[in-house]
Amino acid sequence: MKLHADPKRLFQSLILLTLIMPLSNIALGIGIIIPIPIPRPQAAIPPTLKSVNVTSHIQNDIAKTRVTQVFHNPNLLPVEADFYFPTPDGADITDFILFMDGKPVKGEVLDKDKAQSIYRDIVRKLRDPGLVEWSGKNLFRVRLFPIPARGDQKIEIQITQPLTADQGYYRFNVPLKYPLHNGASSSPPTVDLQISIESDPPVRNVYSPTHKLETNTSDTRSLTVTVADDNPASNGRDGAHLVNQDFLLFYEHSDKPISVSLLSHKSKNTEGFFTLRISPPWDAQGTTTPQASPGNYVFVIDSSGSMVEGDKIEQARKALRYCVSLLKPTDQFNIVRFSTTVESFKPDLLPASPDNRRAAVYWIDELQARGGTNISEALKAALAQRKTKSSENWFQTDTTANSIFTVVFLTDGLPTVGETAPEAILKAVKEQSGDNVRIFTFGVGHDVNTRLLDFIANSTRAASEYVSPAADLEVPVSRFFDKISRPALFNLELKIPGVGVSEIYPTQLPDLFYGTELAVMGKYKTSGPSPIILSGTIAGKRQEYRFEKVFPDSNETNRFVEKLWATRKVAWLLDELRKSGESTELKKEIEETALKYSIVTPYTSYLAMPDEVPSAQPPDLRAGVADIRRKGRYKNSGRPSSADKLMSMSNFKAESGAGAVQAAQQVQQMKTAEIVPSTDVMDNEAVQKAVNGKLFINENGVWKDSAIAGTEKSGIKIKYLSDAWFQISETYPELRDYLAVGEQIQVLVADDMVLHIGPEGLDTIDNPTNTLLKTTIVKKN
């Protein structure tokens, strides 16, 4: 995979080039190159980082990573420099190898005491608050040979380190933050990243909260992980922004029929947040889980006249042929086509024998597109078959007793024939459905009723999907049926007694299929051990799985969990609002949650689109954004951004059309969110940043915590890059992410105290200030 990264942060006089180094299990700092002064005319243009290749091999939980980097010197003179980077905690530094031109170059590791003065000097010269991550780390330093004039210099670095596990869940981190400097005069580097995992026990629940993954799981003891090209981590921009945040990878070892992994985030004396990843084995073969009962499928296809456009009817034929080809001999199926009238392939469900599947393909080939759109009768015809028995006496089994009855419903239009009122259609579906019915809906194009399709799917524990007019319909339908044709567990129920769990999303768990993972987010009140009890039905039998986990009293390493939980909560609230209509309570809860976590909604879109600030927002926040716009410090960069794809209020309220489809897709993505986009690294002209559950608004150059009410009793002023600033970063690591926001910040560190960072303030921390800080931070945490 090739990525391109845009540089963004202003540098001062020295060169800062980010090198990608796989560090320890916590996010560390950034490697830098600093030129060595020489008694001759200096190079006019900084060397540039051309490419980075990261190859990591994890074998039995020992990670060995090789980073290959190529630098280019565009000047007429060679450049000599020192290269620094913080050494990983827990890494065996004797495994560091640095090669230049095929020759090993000797470096030295500076311990924390010696490194501290060098670190402070570098930060002060570069005036880069992001380097606060280096605080308290050892430094590896090496003198680079001169980079040839107008030439390239390749560097290879290798490091070996053991990975540690939290309750069996291993964590691997590769910092991918690219330097932010002015101009972006050179081409950004290309970045390749590939992780391979070899393990004696099978690997399960491979997950990244930062990047979308493509995982080759043909062998669960030897698999490869790459970063997908269509990555939500780019936050709506090009793939370059994938390197705006560190790469995090989690995995677990398990050979159990069902595996459950726990990740949590909790500060002391506050509610905690957790995510569970639930999965069967990737391959259904060889597992002790009872094999699924026969599948029962009805494929309902829209054959109205509009399906002629864009050759959609032929794409639908191909998709249906593929689905029929995947049916097992033990499955039962039927096909329903609808336009003005409704017609079934056979009167009842029939076994998926070779002869029946061949006959179905012939029937599919004869489908023609003509007439209107009778959605109501099509659904009625499909659901009417759920209580019939096999017409060929192949299995005499009531389909509602032991297995799931699945309807795959595909349409490209609005109901125009028969019952056309969405409320009446949905009511009829609910009356005909039951606990074992799933209706998966596919909306093709923009002329579909998104609310109707979403609510039909949601009411049956299924899901909706939308296919753009230009997309190939065969691809998403085939991919979808690949998944649901391999059932592992139906009608899931989750119990976590003992720690006070609440607000679990999804509120109703979907079914579990082989080759997939289910992510569940929630909150917990009290810490300690608690069983996690998962139950479900397969082959007509109720199965129960029990896992013993510990919900920690304090864990600050997985802060992304809280943001993901909030995203899912907002999506659920938006869905409720679409279903029941606007209410003051729902709107208020959406606004408060979205503002706190910087989540874009129809009510808070101004966070990413400061050209318009709704008057309904809090006055102090509204005034700050308005002031920034009035002074002209916000400028449109002209590049596509996430703001271009936001769900506007008009789109959110619409039932059909391109905007309605877009809004429905965005809500669906939020409901299943597993990746946190990089929102804390933005353009220099940005007016807001979201950092670890806090929203900072830029007011006249000062990044102000939106939680500040103006009634706080006390405040501490610290001079930026003073000894006091460094002391805070070293003594209170929980504040480092906030210190990295900018040169001037105001952050609420307790209910009644604000920490001010700016050009004026304390140079050193005296005893009274230290006591106040210590008391405040300890009290809060």
Side-chain angles (χ1 to χ4, degrees):
M1 178 197 66
K2 298 286 185 182
L3 304 179
H4 292 275
D6 288 338
K8 293 178 179 245
R9 189 181 300 163
L10 180 63
F11 282 94
Q12 304 298 320
S13 59
L14 297 178
I15 303 166
L16 176 59
L17 296 176
T18 296
L19 305 182
I20 296 180
M21 274 299 302
L23 300 180
S24 67
N25 293 335
I26 60 173
L28 297 181
I30 305 169
I32 64 173
I33 287 179
I34 297 183
I36 298 171
I38 52 178
R40 62 188 183 195
Q42 297 297 301
I45 305 173
T48 58
L49 180 60
K50 288 181 61 177
S51 64
V52 179
N53 179 275
V54 182
T55 304
S56 297
H57 182 65
I58 302 172
Q59 185 171 24
N60 292 327
D61 311 318
I62 302 294
K64 180 178 290 185
T65 303
R66 180 173 291 273
V67 181
T68 303
Q69 300 153 116
V70 177
F71 296 91
H72 177 71
N73 177 15
N75 299 283
L76 296 176
L77 295 174
V79 175
E80 191 171 359
D82 279 337
F83 169 53
Y84 296 89
F85 65 89
T87 59
D89 290 342
D92 186 351
I93 59 175
T94 61
D95 289 340
F96 275 101
I97 307 171
L98 189 148
F99 288 96
M100 296 183 65
D101 292 334
K103 300 178 181 179
V105 179
K106 184 179 180 180
E108 61 176 328
V109 176
L110 309 175
D111 63 26
K112 293 181 182 179
D113 292 337
K114 184 183 291 186
Q116 197 61 32
S117 62
I118 296 176
Y119 155 70
R120 293 190 178 193
D121 184 60
I122 291 172
V123 175
R124 283 173 173 145
K125 288 179 178 178
L126 298 179
R127 299 191 65 83
D128 184 355
L131 288 176
V132 69
E133 293 178 341
W134 279 31
S135 182
K137 303 298 177 185
N138 297 329
L139 287 181
F140 181 77
R141 177 176 66 184
V142 65
R143 173 65 54 86
L144 300 183
F145 292 151
I147 305 175
R150 292 190 173 180
D152 294 342
Q153 177 67 69
K154 183 171 76 171
I155 298 176
E156 294 183 11
I157 304 174
Q158 182 174 295
I159 178 173
T160 300
Q161 66 180 118
L163 303 182
T164 58
D166 180 5
Q167 302 189 74
Y169 216 9
Y170 288 87
R171 177 188 180 104
F172 179 63
N173 178 47
V174 179
L176 287 177
K177 291 181 179 178
Y178 189 66
L180 308 176
H181 59 77
N182 62 333
S185 57
S186 61
S187 299
T190 59
V191 180
D192 289 318
L193 174 64
Q194 187 175 79
I195 312 293
S196 61
I197 305 175
E198 288 189 16
S199 171
D200 294 333
V203 175
R204 298 274 285 279
N205 287 341
V206 176
Y207 166 58
S208 172
T210 57
H211 296 76
K212 183 179 179 181
L213 302 180
E214 292 179 350
T215 306
N216 179 358
T217 58
S218 57
D219 182 355
T220 57
R221 289 176 171 82
S222 178
L223 53 90
T224 302
V225 178
T226 56
V227 177
D229 290 327
D230 56 332
N231 213 296
S234 63
N235 200 21
R237 303 183 181 184
D238 58 63
H241 293 264
L242 294 176
V243 292
N244 273 350
Q245 62 180 344
D246 297 342
F247 171 76
L248 270 179
L249 179 74
F250 295 90
Y251 67 91
E252 185 184 47
H253 299 303
S254 176
D255 56 1
K256 297 180 180 179
I258 299 293
S259 175
V260 171
S261 303
L262 170 68
L263 288 172
S264 60
H265 166 66
K266 187 178 186 297
S267 299
K268 289 184 179 180
N269 303 321
T270 65
E271 287 185 308
F273 301 85
F274 69 90
T275 178
L276 301 178
R277 297 196 67 81
I278 305 170
S279 71
W282 274 306
D283 190 351
Q285 303 300 321
T287 176
T288 57
T289 301
Q291 294 301 300
S293 56
N296 301 280
Y297 305 100
V298 178
F299 305 98
V300 183
I301 180 171
D302 187 340
S303 62
S304 60
S306 56
M307 288 289 288
V308 174
E309 301 171 6
D311 205 24
K312 287 183 285 188
I313 190 65
E314 176 54 31
Q315 293 178 22
R317 292 193 198 103
K318 290 180 181 178
L320 282 178
R321 293 189 201 105
Y322 181 81
C323 293
V324 169
S325 73
L326 284 186
L327 293 172
K328 301 181 291 293
T330 52
D331 293 334
Q332 297 185 106
F333 79 105
N334 205 347
I335 305 170
V336 174
R337 71 114 201 119
F338 70 96
S339 54
T340 303
T341 59
V342 176
E343 178 185 7
S344 298
F345 167 53
K346 295 293 182 180
D348 303 318
L349 293 177
L350 70 160
S353 65
D355 288 343
N356 287 338
R357 284 187 278 121
R358 279 193 294 270
V361 170
Y362 294 143
W363 193 81
I364 291 169
D365 289 341
E366 297 301 316
L367 289 174
Q368 300 296 321
R370 62 173 67 91
T373 308
N374 196 339
I375 289 178
S376 178
E377 287 301 313
L379 288 169
K380 181 178 179 180
L383 292 173
Q385 300 185 46
R386 62 183 289 255
K387 292 186 179 180
T388 64
K389 295 180 180 179
S390 169
S391 58
E392 299 182 12
N393 296 320
W394 214 59
F395 343 135
Q396 296 294 327
T397 305
D398 189 325
T399 62
T400 61
N402 297 321
S403 64
I404 294 297
F405 181 85
T406 301
V407 176
V408 181
F409 184 82
L410 187 152
T411 182
D412 77 332
L414 303 167
T416 59
V417 179
E419 180 60 70
T420 59
E423 295 79 8
I425 295 174
L426 182 59
K427 180 181 178 182
V429 167
K430 289 181 177 180
E431 291 174 350
Q432 290 178 275
S433 300
D435 289 341
N436 283 24
V437 172
R438 307 287 185 266
I439 305 178
F440 294 91
T441 62
F442 284 85
V444 184
H446 298 150
D447 295 327
V448 293
N449 188 311
T450 57
R451 292 194 183 189
L452 174 62
L453 297 184
D454 287 348
F455 294 159
I456 287 175
N458 292 342
S459 66
T460 61
R461 286 199 187 195
S464 55
E465 189 166 343
Y466 296 92
V467 184
S468 67
D472 187 346
L473 175 62
E474 180 185 4
V475 174
V477 175
S478 301
R479 182 181 63 240
F480 152 79
F481 199 70
D482 274 337
K483 180 182 78 171
I484 70 160
S485 63
R486 305 173 64 214
L489 207 60
F490 296 121
N491 293 334
L492 272 63
E493 292 184 6
L494 182 66
K495 296 179 181 178
I496 310 176
V499 291
V501 297
S502 63
E503 295 191 76
I504 294 178
Y505 304 103
T507 55
Q508 191 174 45
L509 299 185
D511 301 323
L512 196 59
F513 303 94
Y514 286 105
T516 67
E517 297 175 4
L518 171 62
V520 179
M521 314 284 178
K523 295 171 64 176
Y524 67 97
K525 290 184 178 179
T526 59
S527 59
S530 175
I532 297 174
I533 304 168
L534 179 72
S535 60
T537 301
I538 196 70
K541 298 180 180 178
R542 196 70 181 168
Q543 304 289 328
E544 184 175 283
Y545 305 90
R546 186 183 180 97
F547 308 87
E548 298 296 333
K549 300 290 183 180
V550 177
F551 290 76
D553 180 56
S554 178
N555 185 348
E556 298 283 352
T557 59
N558 301 318
R559 294 182 177 181
F560 61 86
V561 174
E562 184 176 356
K563 176 66 177 285
L564 290 174
W565 170 85
T567 302
R568 290 198 175 196
K569 174 178 179 175
V570 168
W572 183 81
L573 292 171
L574 289 171
D575 237 13
E576 287 296 303
L577 191 143
R578 291 175 75 206
K579 185 188 305 181
S580 57
E582 286 189 333
S583 69
T584 303
E585 292 78 10
L586 276 177
K587 286 175 59 179
K588 182 179 179 181
E589 193 168 6
I590 290 171
E591 288 179 355
E592 289 179 349
T593 307
L595 282 173
K596 179 178 179 180
Y597 294 98
S598 191
I599 299 172
V600 174
T601 73
Y603 301 96
T604 56
S605 294
Y606 76 94
L607 292 176
M609 293 190 301
D611 291 333
E612 179 182 356
V613 185
S615 59
Q617 304 310 327
D620 56 336
L621 198 58
R622 187 171 68 249
V625 177
D627 181 67
I628 290 168
R629 189 174 63 249
R630 183 174 60 252
K631 294 182 180 296
R633 291 194 297 106
Y634 177 85
K635 299 177 182 179
N636 191 335
S637 64
R639 295 175 304 180
S641 70
S642 59
D644 298 321
K645 298 182 178 181
L646 299 179
M647 59 177 100
S648 66
M649 184 61 72
S650 58
N651 287 348
F652 180 71
K653 291 184 175 181
E655 293 187 349
S656 63
V661 170
Q662 185 184 85
Q665 289 174 319
Q666 289 168 336
V667 172
Q668 181 66 25
Q669 290 169 1
M670 292 170 65
K671 288 172 66 177
T672 57
E674 299 182 31
I675 296 175
V676 178
S678 177
T679 56
D680 57 341
V681 178
M682 306 181 67
D683 295 331
N684 291 330
E685 297 87 358
V687 297
Q688 56 91 15
K689 294 182 182 181
V691 180
N692 293 335
K694 284 184 175 293
L695 175 64
F696 289 87
I697 304 296
N698 193 323
E699 297 183 7
N700 300 317
V702 178
W703 291 100
K704 184 178 179 180
D705 184 350
S706 62
I708 295 175
T711 58
E712 289 74 23
K713 297 179 181 179
S714 60
I716 297 177
K717 290 186 177 182
I718 302 295
K719 187 176 181 180
Y720 178 58
L721 298 186
S722 64
D723 288 345
W725 186 88
F726 286 105
Q727 186 175 342
I728 288 178
S729 71
E730 293 153 16
T731 308
Y732 306 103
E734 60 268 45
L735 299 181
R736 285 179 188 165
D737 287 342
Y738 304 134
L739 295 179
V741 169
E743 295 188 15
Q744 297 187 66
I745 63 170
Q746 295 178 15
V747 57
L748 188 69
V749 294
D751 292 339
D752 58 353
M753 193 181 84
V754 177
L755 178 64
H756 300 256
I757 304 294
E760 299 178 353
L762 296 176
D763 284 306
T764 58
I765 296 180
D766 53 28
N767 288 333
T769 302
N770 188 49
T771 301
L772 178 60
L773 269 173
K774 185 176 181 180
T775 303
T776 301
I777 301 299
V778 169
K779 180 181 178 181
K780 182 175 177 61
N781 293 324

